[in-house]
Amino acid sequence: SVLLKTTDPSLDVAVSTDIIASCPPSSSEIGWVSCSANYAFEAKHANAKELQILFVTDGDVESDFHVDDVSFVNKLRPVTAVSVDASVAECWDSSAEILF
């Protein structure tokens, strides 16, 4: 499994551990396995003191395991602009705020 451990900035302790991906089992007979997942960061991650990615083997703390080709891809971008139809543009005051 691949876990994300989030540490609270004020408490200096882990406040959550989320499963990012669950990978299929492997063995010397099977060889390499691949796993992938989509994970959406939440509000609790925004001010975290530390985010740790942990690779965990289920039920076996003695075997070696190798991790190869780890990548993270930003799939969603933050909102940086809003398009307002011209027909409603006059309905907004110049000091109006839109919060996302």
Side-chain angles (χ1 to χ4, degrees):
S1 296
V2 183
L3 308 176
L4 176 65
K5 181 179 171 184
T6 306
T7 303
D8 184 285
S10 61
L11 302 175
D12 220 18
V13 296
V15 292
S16 68
T17 303
D18 303 307
I19 297 173
I20 294 177
S22 295
C23 303
S26 179
S27 67
S28 56
E29 294 81 28
I30 297 172
W32 288 99
V33 296
S34 295
C35 63
S36 63
N38 292 318
Y39 183 80
F41 284 93
E42 301 171 18
K44 66 183 176 185
H45 301 115
N47 295 318
K49 177 180 180 183
E50 183 176 67
L51 297 173
Q52 293 179 321
I53 304 295
L54 307 172
F55 296 89
V56 179
T57 56
D58 296 331
D60 183 357
V61 296
E62 296 181 11
S63 296
D64 291 334
F65 71 100
H66 303 273
V67 177
D68 190 22
D69 295 329
V70 175
S71 63
F72 296 90
V73 177
N74 183 13
K75 292 190 172 191
L76 298 175
R77 306 265 185 244
V79 175
T80 58
V82 176
S83 297
V84 179
D85 189 87
S87 65
V88 296
E90 297 297 321
C91 298
W92 302 51
D93 185 81
S94 60
S95 62
E97 290 183 322
I98 302 173
L99 305 175
F100 292 94

